[in-house]
Every structure is written in C-alpha cells, then in structure tokens.
Amino acid sequence: TEAQREIWSAVAMNPSDSITYNVGVSLHLEGPIDNAALAAAMRHVLERHDAFRTTFAPDGSGMRVAPKG
C-alpha cells in the first residue's frame, strides 16, 4: 500500500526511524505454559495476517507475501 511505501522510505532514509512504527508489549504470565498450544496459536496468527509474512525488496520496488503454511 502507499502507507507501507511511505514507512519503507522513511526507514530507508533513517534506519533508526523503524522503532517509531513498532508497538511493544510485555506480558507477565503465571503458571505452566502449554508449548504446543502456544505454537499452534502463533502459527494461526502468522497464517491469518499477511503483514507477518510480507517482505519488501531492498530498493522498495516491490513486496512479497509468503504463502500460508
């Protein structure tokens, strides 16, 4: 999208600007973690949202969305 190109251009000109577009979050979890369920949930998120599977050409001329799965 045009908005993604603008972000790419800003970061290309000044790499430290990339932190401007990141949102951090920290969670404190208590109790046991079901690693298999966590891994399955992460796979589901990655498959559902193209943004997590998208890479951009170094010169900004194009982008590629990796296939699901």
Side-chain angles (χ1 to χ4, degrees):
T1 66
E2 187 59 33
Q4 290 170 315
R5 278 194 193 96
E6 289 175 14
I7 292 170
W8 181 90
S9 296
V11 172
M13 290 187 287
N14 189 359
S16 65
D17 283 351
S18 67
I19 62 171
T20 303
Y21 301 99
N22 293 327
V23 177
V25 68
S26 176
L27 302 173
H28 178 79
L29 305 175
E30 294 184 14
I33 295 177
D34 182 338
N35 288 328
L38 179 59
M42 292 302 297
R43 280 192 302 275
H44 179 75
V45 168
L46 292 175
E47 286 188 10
R48 185 173 180 180
H49 299 283
D50 291 352
F52 292 118
R53 295 179 283 107
T54 302
T55 56
F56 296 88
D59 65 358
S61 63
M63 67 180 207
R64 177 182 178 271
V65 179
K68 295 179 179 182

